Amino acid sequence: MSLNDRVRCSALHSRIMSAADAAALIPAGANVGMSGFTGAGYPKALPQAIASHAKAEHAAGRPYKINVWTGASTAAECDGVLAEAGAIDQRLPFNTDPIARKSINAGDINFIDMHLSHVAQHAWFGFLGHMHVAVIEVLGITADGLLIPSTAVGNNKTWLEIADKVILEVNTKPPAKMEGMHDIYYGTAIPPRRVPIRMTHADDRIGEGYLNVDLDKVVAVVETHKGDRDNVFAAPDANSNTIAASIIDFLSHEMKMGRLPQEMLPIQSGVGNVANAVLAGLLTGPFDNLLGFTEVLQDGMLDLLRSGKMSRASATSISLSAAAYRDFEENIDFYRDRIILRPQEISNHPELVRRLGVIAMNSMIEADIYGNINSTHVMGSSMMNGIGGSGDFARNGYLSFFVTPSVAKNGHISCIVPMCSHVDHTEHDTQIIVTEQGLADLRGLSPKQRAKVIIERCAHPDFRPMLQDYVDRAMQQSAGLHTPHILTEALSWHQRYLDTGSMKTA
């Protein structure tokens, strides 16, 4: 399909230009809102043109950096090229690119890690400063000037509303038949003018099929024809399958005990191999007529839809492997009736998560013996990716699981530690921890009771005696016995790893 077929608004034809010409419209120091959420729907041409422009400016002795705000992560051709060119000053709210991560941890990029449900409203409130330019990927523009959203909605609605100028990348690669899959809600407002969001089921449609834009703000339209980042999901390994089986057994037990309704509550699943293993386990599990209410629709949820186990899935982004994306394209009519893509201020909305009773499953880097969770930092100071939406769902979900293998780095790191080196989710937001060793249900337990079940059920046998020894001595030495700690040793495991390459004692 040609660009003229996708850009049906004749008023914008005169603004079609090259990516290089459009990049020249973005000044140094600008706050730039870009589309993109978990490697989907991000601009493909503009970031590379901006990177080239930055390099030329640097070569001429002129400074050039911009501040980049997105929905979540993008890809190497966006975050990666911009970071490599030294073109990013500030970045928010999430990143997975290794080049950008290196710059963040070197202190060259000012990274702001945020709850994903907070980003749009904080920008709208003016907390983050003024947005100068929005760079948004769309699938097309109707004759009336409405924008057909792409494979991710993210924060695009807000960026289009608050930016001074708008640059549109029209991507002719994704299937045009995605039109109609989106549900863009325009009922939000700034306090005190907010009203309840009228959604009571995960598959309710409450908005419009298109993004609105003030055509006078559109300064450039750029063509691209390129697919999203290919996500590579490894086949579930033994650990992932064991974790998945524990979660499914637990859900079955909760249903038998009457703590879950027979009609299973909506499912939220984080991104990654363990999450996909859980979704794969649901394919053969005892639950039918499932609903998804999540941030990112990945391969496992597509499998559930195709099998009929899941009736509909709501998300803000579709992020698939190459094989799954081919299936999505070839069966777009089937999926368009079963997938709803929304702005992330709706997909991650804490009130909706609580109202719908979402069952949340998210990964972590480490947990401590009292149930505090570190989702973001390696050894306390090096950023991995960011908190993402895990906090939105963990605090407000009906049930909340945090999952991880019990060890990392060939067994040299325990993912269950005396004290987390960084805390993203406090013990108050943690209900259930699962490793391949077992499942710890922390509901209704005091800190000392939590420590007992976490050590017994989740810690690796190589580290279990060390953890128990720490607790036993803390009970004797701690100033208080509500949450016993030996402050001089609480982070010694992390320091030992930094010093010796292993948390194990000699």
Side-chain angles (χ1 to χ4, degrees), residues 309-375:
K309 277 280 191 175
M310 180 172 281
S311 58
R312 280 184 175 78
S314 168
T316 195
S317 168
I318 299 176
S319 188
L320 304 170
S321 67
Y325 187 79
R326 284 194 298 273
D327 171 61
F328 175 75
E329 278 193 317
E330 292 167 3
N331 298 284
I332 186 64
D333 291 330
F334 172 86
Y335 290 119
R336 188 178 59 244
D337 293 337
R338 290 164 177 82
I339 294 172
I340 305 170
L341 295 182
R342 314 180 189 273
Q344 72 190 65
E345 61 184 316
I346 298 300
S347 68
N348 289 57
H349 198 292
E351 183 199 356
L352 294 178
V353 171
R354 179 169 291 192
R355 183 190 303 170
L356 299 174
V358 174
I359 296 173
M361 295 176 282
N362 289 284
S363 61
M364 62 182 178
I365 291 175
E366 62 184 2
D368 69 28
I369 54 176
Y370 298 118
N372 299 292
I373 304 293
N374 172 13
S375 294

Side-chain angles (χ1 to χ4, degrees), residues 167-182:
I167 298 173
L168 299 174
E169 274 203 14
V170 179
N171 193 343
T172 57
K173 177 71 170 63
K177 284 189 173 183
M178 282 188 68
E179 186 173 355
M181 183 178 283
H182 307 85

Side-chain angles (χ1 to χ4, degrees), residues 20 111 191:
F111 181 63

